[in-house]
């Protein structure tokens, strides 16, 4: 059976933290789907098309990585694409507490068919988050050091 992992997130925008998780997960799975979750309640800084394009351009060197968009529950999307794994990154204790509750819930409602796999952020990347990147961008700071080369705002 193909080992397919879904890496869900907002990616508003993709950062070097996301890139690090994908790069290190590539050898672990046959296929990784970076899936942009659409949440009607959230306000995004960048359009879906822009976020998708930046992810595709940033990760194009990995042949077993695809990019997709989904709405609704992540586990329903996993079932749809035949994924048995959800990939998430952990930066700090706050991430851990938040992710623990979601992973337990997903496992319970997915009938244990979907396991969440966590990778610890590489040292030096744990401070990077999309919200900090957005703040730096809004204030004309040097956001380039926090994101893959493909992410450029004009
Ligand atoms: P969400 O809105 O689901 O939190 P994000 O795009 O912010 O979406 O994050 C997607 C995933 O990437 C999450 O698992 C998050 O913990 C992980 N992630 C984000 N930044 C980093 C980082 N610097 N190091 C490791 N993982 C990260």
């Amino acid at each position: 059976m193909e080992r397919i992992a879904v890496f869900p997130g907002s990616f508003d925008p993709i950062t070097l933290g996301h890139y690090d998780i994908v790069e290190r997960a590539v050898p672990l799975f046959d296929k990784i789907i970076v899936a942009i979750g659409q949440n009607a309640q959230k306000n995004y800084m960048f359009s879906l098309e822009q976020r998708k394009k930046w992810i595709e351009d940033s990760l194009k060197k990995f042949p077993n990585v695809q990019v997709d968009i989904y709405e609704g529950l992540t586990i329903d999307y996993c079932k749809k694409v035949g994924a048995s794994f959800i990939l998430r990154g952990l930066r700090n204790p706050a991430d851990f507490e938040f992710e623990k509750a979601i992973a337990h819930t997903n496992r319970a409602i997915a009938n244990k068919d979907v396991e969440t796999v966590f990778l610890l952020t590489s040292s030096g990347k744990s401070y990077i988050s999309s919200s900090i990147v957005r703040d730096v961008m809004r204030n004309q700071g040097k956001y380039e050091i926090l994101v893959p080369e493909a992410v450029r705002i004009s």
Side-chain angles (χ1 to χ4, degrees), residues 7-11 17-18 21 42 88-89 91 95 121 125 128:
F7 183 34
S10 312
F11 306 100
H18 297 126
I21 296 294
K42 266 197 183 179
R88 296 287 284 178
R91 286 166 288 197
D95 270 359
T121 187
K125 304 266 177 5
I128 303 176

Side-chain angles (χ1 to χ4, degrees), residues 62-83:
F62 303 113
N64 66 339
V65 175
Q66 295 175 5
V67 187
D68 197 10
I69 292 159
Y70 74 102
E71 264 177 291
L73 293 177
T74 305
I75 51 153
D76 289 339
Y77 176 73
C78 288
K79 281 189 194 141
K80 190 182 132 201
V81 296

